[in-house]
Every structure is written in structure tokens, then in C-alpha cells.
């Protein structure tokens, strides 16, 4: 009986090794695509859980290493621990996607699992304290981001290679659902585990990473077309230098500078941002001159690719920083007013944000499956309109809202983002030639991650601008009314509003942290109790916060609507036709 296998002499004659023959047989099996989906989903889940678990665990991490992140000299440590991972993934995903096209996407993806797991172990073994401990965490976290970039740059291309065109939307939808679910699972896990032992939050991903590394090496095989090329060194160097400068400028721009509430007038920030933009312009020139560019500018001639990436960038810009503000809204105002201590708010903020995850879980796979049949345009545009409407609804709510209304608005936002994300990613990947899928996926991930960092800068700037108008006067009069000396009240009122936002984000008792035990100890017990209780600070900040929140929501609405227009311009359903198809 004749089988599909080949003999050793036949393989030798065709230049095929025994391992390549086994890989081809494994890939040909009907179930291989589901193995690829499950493995890449585990990778995305691990990376996103690890990202958000750190956000909620920050208070316990800083207490564990003995650093007060709210001291002005430590603000940069806090920001780099939050944003360092995002910066390095934004910079490296294009290069790693390009390397995947050249040397094999599965090989790069497997390396990502191993690197991510190794640095997760090193984070969990942190023994240093003080500034040295914080710097260790930042450096190892950045190196962990190298593994995350390898995973993100190649997972979408692996799925696109494994699935036929009529199932890619569903596959990418399920993969993205895992990413969103991981973000919120991380919030809850961080809130539960960090108070027990903060090292555990880094250890959570280790068993998953070890299993994923072994399973990926054992079961995943390269099915895409490898494109022989040389490494674009000048392109890589200029792109990394320009984007790093730009993102570092944004990171320091949201920090206070001298007597300014923010750092946008800081000469260093201006040099970094202007210089970064100039270097990126030089990078674009380089990419038009080299034979094998890392950033294929020619891909932007593909209408579906360009429109999808513009829409994705704007959607990330509209929602990235806003997630921080929703958490601050819950932790700094709503939860304390409804009986939760400030220390409890990080965990409960994650729980109360779950309706957004539910919306994404419902809409993501469904819209991905439907887009396989009808194309991405209607779902991408409709999703952005729905998301904009949810932001309008949130903007119209009072600061002390009714939770069922807030939950429904979050559910609507999750449905809108879910409607958009899966079809948009599938539309981008379907538009690419086989040999460009790694680079194209990396370009898309770069736009998203860079937009997230930019979004955080934009929304924090808008909020600080709103708070700085009314908060100092409200803070000064509120403190003096409770017996705080006028000079102390004036000094506290002059503190940068960003300190208040960070205190709320970290679950610290803001007034207790700002005044300190020495000032509070000199006040009557009833006054000190009132100032540090659950009513004073939320009432004090509600008005100024509402002003800043309104401006931030307006920005999010505009970004989503423009993203919807960009999605509308992508054209009808489009799948790149390979020359040999």
C-alpha cells in the first residue's frame, strides 16, 4: 500500500532532512492549526497577565524593596517599571518580525518563550533593596520585554500561516481575546497574590513559560516561506534610536519639571522628542535606499494594510491611557466612597472592570468568524462607532455614578473594541504576501505599542491640565479647614497633580502619604481621622477630576471616530493572491 511518506534516499535526493520530513507531515495534519492557535494563545495570555499583574502589585513591590515611589526623586523609577516593558516591545517587534521572515517564525517565537521565562525567574529572585532593587527590576523587566517582543512579533504570522483565509479572523479573534482576558486576569491575580508575597507575581508565569517553551519546540513547525535577505543594520539602529528617544521623551514629559506641573518644557524632553522625530525621518530615507529594508514602506501601497494600521494606531491611542484613568476613577474616588479602604482598591478596581472583558470575550471571536465571510470593513468601522458611543456615555456620567450604568458602559466599550480588533487584525494579515507576514505583523505591533505609550502621555497630560486649574485651591482650603497649618497646606497644594494621580493608581491613602505622620500627629484625632478617611480625598478631587476626565473622553471619542473612518476606507474584503495560487 502506498503512503504519503518518503524513503530516506528520496529525501536525500530532494535535500530534505528527516526532521523536515516529520515537520511537513505534522503540519499537514488537520489538527495542526489548532495546536498553533493554542500555543500562541498561551504565549499571549502569559505576556498580558505578566504585564497587568505588575501594575496592581506595584505598591507591594515598592514596599518590599523599601522605596517610596511617590517621592519626586523616585517618580522615574515608578514610570520606568510601568512603561519600560512597553517601550522595548514597541522598539523591537519590527526587527524580530523581520528576522522571523528570514530565519523562521517558529524559531523566533520559541526563543521568545525561553527568554521571557528566564527573566521571569530572575525577577522572582530579586534580593536587592532600595534604588538598587528598583533598578534591577527595571532592567530585568526590560530584558523580559525582549522575550515579549519575540512572541508578539511572530504569533500573528504563525497563525496566518497555519489557518486558511476563511478561518483567520476566528483564529486571530480567539488569540486577541486571550490577550484582553489576560490583562484583566492579571489585575485580579496581582491584587490577590501581591499582599501575600510580591515575588510570587513574577513566579506565576514561570510554569506556563516552561510548558509553553517545551510544547512550542516539540509541536510547532515553520510553515511560512522563508525569505533570504541581509540584516538591515542601519535601519535597525536608526529606528531603535529614534523610537527610543521619542518614547523616553514622552515618559519624562509626564513628570514634573522644576516649577512646572509637567515636563514638556524640559530641554532634555524637547531634545529627545525633536531628535527622535528627526532620526525616524532619516530612518525612512534609509529604508528607501537599502536592498532589504526592515520596514517595508512598500507595504503601505496596499490599501487594506495602510487603512488597518491607521485604524489600529488610533484605536490604541484612544483606549491605552484611558484604562489608567478609569482605574484611577475607581481607586481614587468611587471605591473609597462606597466603603473600600484605599489598600483594597487595586484588587476591586480590577474586578469592577470585568464587564469590559466580558464584552470583548463575546464580540471578539464572533466578529472574527463573521469577518471571514463578510470582510473587516463593517465590523472595524462599527466597532469604533460603538466604542465612541461608550465613551460618550461614560463622559455623561456623574463622578459618583451608579455601578450598573458604569458596568453597562464598560460592557458596550468591550463589545465595540471586540468588534473592531479581530477583523482589523485579520484584514491586515490577509493583505500581506507570505514572505512579508512577520515584518507586517511587527509593524502593526509597533504602531499599537508606541500608541499605547503616547496615549498614556496624552491622557496624563490632559488630566494634569484639568487638575492643576482647581485642585491646588481645593486642597489648600480643605486642609486648612481641618486645622492643617497654612504653610503646610500651601506646600501640599503646590505639589504636582501627577503625584495625586500616582497615589490613587497605586492604592495609597493620598492624604496620609502626602502629609505624613508628623503633621497628622499634631492635629486633633477627629480631624486627622477625617482627612485620612474614605470621604475627604474623593470629595476634594471629584470636581477637578471630572473636568480633566471630560477632556480625556473627548480625545478618546475623536480618536475612535477617526479610526472608524480609516477602517471604512480599507475597501471591501481583500486577500493577497500569491503568484502561485
Amino acid at each position: 500500500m502506498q503512503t504519503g511518506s518518503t524513503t530516506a534516499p528520496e529525501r536525500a535526493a530532494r535535500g530534505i532532512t528527516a526532521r523536515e520530513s516529520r515537520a511537513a507531515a505534522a503540519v499537514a495534519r488537520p489538527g495542526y492549526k489548532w495546536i498553533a492557535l493554542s500555543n500562541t494563545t498561551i504565549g499571549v495570555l502569559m505576556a498580558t497577565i505578566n504585564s497587568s499583574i505588575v501594575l496592581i502589585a506595584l505598591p507591594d513591590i515598592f514596599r518590599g524593596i523599601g522605596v517610596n515611589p511617590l517621592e519626586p526623586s523616585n517618580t522615574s523609577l515608578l514610570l520606568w517599571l510601568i512603561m519600560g516593558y512597553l517601550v522595548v516591545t514597541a522598539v523591537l517587534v519590527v526587527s524580530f518580525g523581520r528576522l522571523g521572515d528570514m530565519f523562521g517564525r517558529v524559531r523566533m517565537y520559541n526563543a521568545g518563550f525561553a527568554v521571557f521565562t528566564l527573566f521571569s525567574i530572575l525577577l522572582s529572585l530579586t534580593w536587592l533593596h532600595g534604588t538598587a532593587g528598583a533598578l534591577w527590576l527595571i532592567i530585568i523587566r526590560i530584558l523580559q520585554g525582549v522575550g515579549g517582543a519575540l512572541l508578539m512579533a511572530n504569533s500573528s504570522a504563525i497563525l496566518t500561516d497555519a489557518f486558511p483565509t476563511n478561518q483567520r479572523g476566528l483564529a486571530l479573534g480567539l488569540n486577541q481575546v486571550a490577550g484582553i482576558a489576560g490583562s484583566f486576569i492579571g489585575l485580579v491575580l496581582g491584587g490577590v497574590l501581591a499582599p501575600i508575597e510580591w515575588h510570587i507575581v513574577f513566579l506565576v508565569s514561570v510554569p506556563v513559560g516552561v510548558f509553553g517553551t517545551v510544547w512550542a519546540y516539540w509541536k510547532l513547525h515553520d510553515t511560512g516561506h522563508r525569505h533570504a535577505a541581509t540584516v538591515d543594520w542601519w535601519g535597525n539602529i536608526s529606528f531603535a534610536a529614534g523610537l527610543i528617544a521619542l518614547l523616553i521623551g514622552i515618559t519624562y514629559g509626564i513628570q514634573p519639571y522644576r516649577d512646572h506641573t509637567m515636563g514638556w518644557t524640559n530641554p532634555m524632553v524637547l531634545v529627545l522628542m525633536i531628535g527622535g522625530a528627526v532620526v525616524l525621518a532619516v530612518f525612512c530615507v534609509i529604508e528607501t535606499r537599502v536592498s532589504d529594508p526592515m520596514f517595508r514602506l512598500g507595504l503601505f501601497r496596499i490599501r487594506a494594510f495602510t487603512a488597518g494600521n491607521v485604524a489600529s494606531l488610533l484605536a490604541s491611542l484612544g483606549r491605552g491611557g484611558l484604562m489608567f484613568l478609569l482605574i484611577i476613577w475607581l481607586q481614587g474616588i468611587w471605591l473609597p466612597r462606597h466603603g473600600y479602604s484605599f489598600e483594597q482598591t487595586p484588587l476591586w478596581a480590577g474586578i469592577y472592570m470585568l464587564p469590559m472583558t466580558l464584552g470583548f470575550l463575546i464580540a471578539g471571536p464572533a466578529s472574527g468568524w463573521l469577518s471571514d465571510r463578510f470582510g473587516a470593513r463593517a465590523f472595524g468601522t462599527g466597532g469604533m462607532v460603538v466604542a465612541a458611543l461608550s465613551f460618550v456615555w461614560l463622559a455623561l456620567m456623574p463622578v459618583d455614578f451608579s455601578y450598573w450604568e458604569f458596568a453597562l458602559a464598560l460592557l458596550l466599550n468591550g463589545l465595540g473594541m471586540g468588534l473592531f480588533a479581530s477583523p482589523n487584525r485579520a484584514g491586515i494579515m490577509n493583505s500581506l504576501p507570505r514572505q512579508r507576514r512577520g515584518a507586517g505583523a511587527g509593524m502593526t505591533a509597533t504602531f499599537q505599542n508606541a500608541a499605547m505609550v503616547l496615549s498614556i502621555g496624552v491622557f496624563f497630560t490632559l488630566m494634569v491640565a484639568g487638575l492643576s486649574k482647581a485642585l491646588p485651591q481645593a486642597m489648600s482650603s480643605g486642609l486648612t479647614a481641618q486645622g492643617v497649618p497654612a504653610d503646610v497646606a500651601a506646600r501640599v497644594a503646590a505639589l504636582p497633580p501627577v503625584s495625586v494621580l500616582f497615589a490613587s493608581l497605586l492604592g495609597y491613602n493620598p492624604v496620609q502619604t502626602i502629609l505624613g505622620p508628623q503633621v497628622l500627629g499634631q492635629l486633633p484625632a477627629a480631624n486627622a481621622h477625617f482627612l485620612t478617611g474614605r470621604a475627604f480625598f474623593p470629595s476634594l478631587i471629584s470636581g477637578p477630576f471630572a473636568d480633566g476626565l471630560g477632556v480625556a473622553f473627548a480625545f478618546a471619542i475623536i480618536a475612535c471616530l477617526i479610526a472608524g473612518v480609516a477602517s471604512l476606507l480599507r475597501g471591501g474584503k481583500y486577500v493577497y493572491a500569491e503568484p502561485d495560487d
Side-chain angles (χ1 to χ4, degrees):
M1 183 176 68
Q2 186 177 1
T3 66
S5 62
T6 59
T7 65
E10 289 172 333
R11 291 195 302 265
R14 293 165 57 188
I16 300 174
T17 65
R19 183 175 179 181
E20 288 172 338
S21 180
R22 289 194 298 271
V27 168
R29 295 188 187 111
Y32 175 76
K33 60 188 177 184
W34 303 111
I35 292 173
L37 175 62
S38 56
N39 192 280
T40 54
T41 298
I42 287 174
V44 168
L45 194 64
M46 179 183 71
T48 52
I49 286 176
N50 197 274
S51 178
S52 59
I53 202 172
V54 170
L55 180 64
I56 293 299
L58 282 172
D60 294 285
I61 291 172
F62 278 110
R63 274 193 291 268
I65 61 175
V67 172
N68 180 4
L70 298 181
E71 289 183 6
S73 59
N74 294 331
T75 303
S76 59
L77 298 177
L78 170 64
L79 281 173
W80 274 110
L81 199 52
I82 293 173
M83 298 174 69
Y85 184 91
L86 281 175
V87 170
V88 73
T89 52
V91 169
L92 292 178
V93 283
V94 174
S95 298
F96 288 159
R98 177 79 175 124
L99 290 175
D101 287 339
M102 293 165 59
F103 302 112
R105 291 154 194 160
V106 168
R107 181 179 295 178
M108 296 294 111
Y109 181 82
N110 291 352
F113 249 130
V115 170
F116 195 97
T117 305
L118 171 64
F119 288 107
S120 295
I121 294 171
L122 291 177
L123 284 166
S124 71
L125 296 176
T126 300
W127 71 98
L128 297 168
H129 291 83
T131 302
L135 291 174
W136 166 267
L137 288 170
I138 290 167
I139 292 168
I140 301 302
R141 180 87 171 132
I142 287 173
L143 293 173
Q144 187 189 46
V146 174
L150 283 162
L151 291 171
M152 285 189 287
N154 293 283
S155 59
S156 292
I158 289 171
L159 286 177
T160 306
D161 289 339
F163 278 82
T165 56
N166 63 340
Q167 290 183 322
R168 286 175 188 163
L170 174 62
L172 292 166
L174 291 170
N175 194 251
Q176 288 200 317
V177 162
I180 296 296
S183 298
F184 288 95
I185 291 170
L187 295 178
V188 177
L189 275 178
V192 172
L193 296 176
I196 300 171
E197 170 53 61
W198 66 268
H199 291 86
I200 301 176
V201 302
F202 298 114
L203 204 58
V204 165
S205 59
V206 173
V208 179
V210 171
F211 171 76
T213 303
V214 174
W215 193 29
Y217 182 80
W218 183 34
K219 287 289 189 180
L220 287 185
H221 307 283
D222 271 307
T223 60
H225 173 76
R226 293 192 192 181
H227 178 64
T230 57
V231 176
D232 175 18
W233 291 110
W234 284 112
N236 278 275
I237 292 169
S238 58
F239 178 76
L243 192 57
I244 287 173
L246 202 60
L247 297 181
I248 289 176
I250 293 170
T251 303
Y252 282 99
I254 61 178
Q255 298 183 45
Y257 172 68
R258 293 185 178 176
D259 57 344
H260 298 280
T261 57
M262 304 209 79
W264 299 114
T265 57
N266 184 341
M268 183 188 76
V269 170
L270 295 173
V271 168
L272 284 169
M273 296 197 67
I274 296 171
V278 170
V279 173
L280 287 176
V282 172
F283 161 75
C284 292
V285 175
I286 291 172
E287 296 305 273
T288 63
R289 304 289 177 87
V290 296
S291 57
D292 292 306
M294 62 165 283
F295 212 97
R296 292 274 171 178
L297 298 178
L299 293 177
F300 290 107
R301 298 192 186 99
I302 303 172
R303 180 178 172 185
F305 180 79
T306 302
N309 275 297
V310 171
S312 179
L313 185 147
L314 288 165
S316 295
L317 198 60
R319 76 172 185 270
L322 197 59
M323 295 302 102
F324 281 87
L325 299 191
L326 291 175
I327 291 172
I328 291 170
W329 190 358
L330 286 169
Q331 291 182 195
I333 299 175
W334 194 87
L335 286 169
R337 278 187 165 182
H338 290 80
Y340 296 88
S341 68
F342 287 100
E343 292 75 17
Q344 293 175 311
T345 57
L347 170 61
W348 285 100
I351 293 172
Y352 277 115
M353 293 276 285
L354 286 176
M356 185 181 293
T357 307
L358 178 62
F360 205 102
L361 289 173
I362 294 170
S367 64
W369 178 73
L370 289 169
S371 72
D372 287 331
R373 298 184 60 190
F374 304 110
R377 179 164 59 177
F379 299 99
T381 301
M384 284 294 94
V385 172
V386 170
L389 289 174
S390 72
F391 288 137
V392 171
W393 192 357
L394 287 166
L396 294 175
M397 285 184 195
V399 174
D400 190 16
F401 51 78
S402 172
Y403 179 70
W404 69 266
E405 186 180 2
F406 184 76
L408 287 176
L410 290 185
L411 177 66
L412 184 66
N413 184 269
L415 290 170
M417 291 299 179
L419 279 172
F420 168 80
S422 305
N424 190 67
R425 176 62 64 88
I428 291 171
M429 296 306 297
N430 280 335
S431 71
L432 294 170
R434 269 198 301 259
Q435 71 273 23
R436 305 293 181 222
R437 285 172 184 164
M443 291 161 72
T444 300
T446 290
F447 291 137
Q448 287 182 329
N449 292 345
M452 288 283 286
V453 177
L454 179 59
S455 178
I456 292 170
V458 168
F459 281 107
F460 268 96
T461 299
L462 293 174
M463 284 304 305
V464 168
L467 288 172
S468 60
K469 294 178 182 177
L471 184 60
Q473 178 59 37
M475 180 73 79
S476 178
S477 59
L479 292 175
T480 52
Q482 296 300 317
V484 176
D487 60 329
V488 175
R491 176 176 56 80
V492 171
L495 290 174
V498 73
S499 300
V500 173
L501 293 179
F502 287 152
S504 300
L505 179 65
L506 292 171
Y508 283 59
N509 186 316
V511 176
Q512 189 176 59
T513 303
I514 292 171
L515 290 180
Q518 185 174 359
V519 174
L520 290 171
Q522 297 173 358
L523 300 177
N527 293 41
H529 179 74
F530 177 74
L531 287 173
T532 58
R534 294 190 293 262
F536 175 75
F537 179 75
S539 299
L540 183 76
I541 198 177
S542 290
F545 186 84
D547 294 339
L549 201 61
V551 178
F553 278 131
F555 178 85
I557 292 164
I558 292 170
C560 287
L561 291 177
I562 298 175
V565 172
S567 179
L568 192 64
L569 295 175
R570 76 174 73 234
K573 184 178 180 180
Y574 174 76
V575 178
Y576 182 85
E578 300 291 345
D580 58 344
D581 286 354

